[in-house]
Amino acid sequence: MSIENAYNIWANQYDTNENRTRDLDKKSTIETLDKYEFENVLELGCGTGKNTNWLLKKANQIIGLDFSQEMLNKAKAKVSDKRVIFKKADLTEIWETENNFADLITCSLTLEHIKNLNHIFNQANLKLRKNGLFFISELHPFKQYSGSKAKYETENGTKELEVYIHHISEYIDDAKNNGLELVEMKEWFDENAKIGLPRLVSFVFKK
Ligand SMILES: C[S@@+](CC[C@H](N)C(=O)[O-])C[C@H]1O[C@@H](n2cnc3c(N)ncnc32)[C@H](O)[C@@H]1O
């Protein structure tokens, strides 16, 4: 099944099922971005809009892009604010938004489904203003080596989605090759599990 169709099915339970990765991403997003100022935000793989309402506390305008219509429908039901536009778009293609639009791009838990990171950083550079920030929060590659991947429950058992492993150096090198420099990086652990593998890695890059 395609990733798009899998998320169309997952959409109904995405916000309600137990999901430590989803919940830790919300914490990493808020704790990382709280200290930055931003107005125009491009949210990549916005999904059900889990992070959109928090981003709206600071932003003047948000464009959320995602290729799953059902995830977008959930987002539209959750976030009704004229400062937000949700658009159906495949991030592996050219992004149909204005160049130099964003002073912040965010991307949470989406790049594990995208093989070519270079394309993402190339498009991000075009959409960011000078000094704009690109925040990424993803399943940590260590966690992926241990077998973790995006998955949801169905009547016929657990459905695992197709994923790609991106090494930490791949993020940093591809960002650098596209004019983005690393500002901060952090590893995020499950509560009470500081000795275990980090669940998430987050980066902030600057144009
Ligand atoms: C795990 S969800 C994360 C949603 C949201 N960012 C969050 O943190 O809750 C991944 C999202 O990425 C979207 N996605 C995956 N590959 C995509 C692509 N190539 N283009 C657009 N959206 C994509 C999926 O439809 C899904 O909504």
Side-chain angles (χ1 to χ4, degrees):
M1 186 190 295
S2 72
I3 303 291
E4 182 181 345
N5 284 343
Y7 274 104
N8 280 337
I9 293 168
W10 192 357
N12 256 337
Q13 21 170 317
Y14 184 83
D15 284 333
T16 47
N17 275 9
E18 192 192 344
N19 184 337
R20 279 185 287 174
T21 302
R22 175 201 62 208
D23 296 344
L24 189 59
D25 169 74
K26 185 152 194 179
K27 179 179 154 90
S28 85
T29 301
I30 295 172
E31 287 189 12
T32 305
L33 294 179
D34 203 30
K35 59 185 170 297
Y36 296 108
E37 296 305 319
F38 46 85
E39 293 186 350
N40 285 7
V41 180
L42 193 56
E43 206 187 342
L44 309 178
C46 59
T48 61
K50 180 197 86 211
N51 295 330
T52 314
N53 272 326
W54 183 82
L55 291 167
L56 261 181
K57 290 185 179 187
K58 292 182 165 222
N60 282 342
Q61 207 185 342
I62 299 179
I63 299 175
L65 303 179
D66 202 291
F67 68 1
S68 161
Q69 188 59 55
E70 294 302 327
M71 294 291 271
L72 288 171
N73 290 346
K74 293 281 175 193
K76 285 175 189 167
K78 189 184 298 163
V79 185
S80 94
D81 190 301
K82 58 180 185 335
R83 293 172 294 165
V84 183
I85 300 169
F86 292 111
K87 287 209 286 206
K88 185 163 163 35
D90 185 343
L91 298 171
T92 64
E93 296 171 0
I94 300 292
W95 305 350
E96 303 290 341
T97 55
E98 201 186 316
N99 287 349
N100 303 308
F101 161 77
D103 47 25
L104 174 68
I105 298 178
T106 71
C107 188
S108 286
L109 310 179
T110 296
L111 297 179
E112 72 172 313
H113 300 304
I114 293 181
K115 190 173 181 185
N116 184 357
L117 281 192
N118 189 61
H119 171 76
I120 299 298
F121 284 111
N122 168 275
Q123 291 296 295
N125 180 296
L126 290 175
K127 305 307 162 190
L128 276 177
R129 295 176 182 166
K130 190 169 174 350
N131 295 322
L133 302 176
F134 186 9
F135 168 72
I136 293 172
S137 169
E138 280 296 322
L139 199 59
H140 198 293
F142 292 174
K143 200 77 182 168
Q144 291 184 298
Y145 301 144
S146 78
S148 274
K149 51 170 73 171
K151 58 176 184 293
Y152 62 96
E153 298 304 324
T154 72
E155 280 175 1
N156 304 319
T158 305
K159 166 78 187 151
E160 290 188 335
L161 278 69
E162 188 183 5
V163 294
Y164 303 96
I165 295 180
H166 299 300
H167 299 282
I168 303 288
S169 55
E170 188 184 350
Y171 288 101
I172 295 172
D173 289 349
D174 283 359
K176 192 173 174 193
N177 290 337
N178 286 285
L180 302 175
E181 72 178 70
L182 183 66
V183 175
E184 62 170 296
M185 183 185 121
K186 188 167 170 180
E187 291 164 314
W188 300 82
F189 295 79
D190 290 332
E191 235 161 77
N192 308 321
K194 296 265 184 235
I195 307 165
L197 296 173
R199 181 174 289 276
L200 300 182
V201 59
S202 67
F203 307 89
V204 176
F205 295 101
K206 184 174 174 182
K207 178 169 171 180

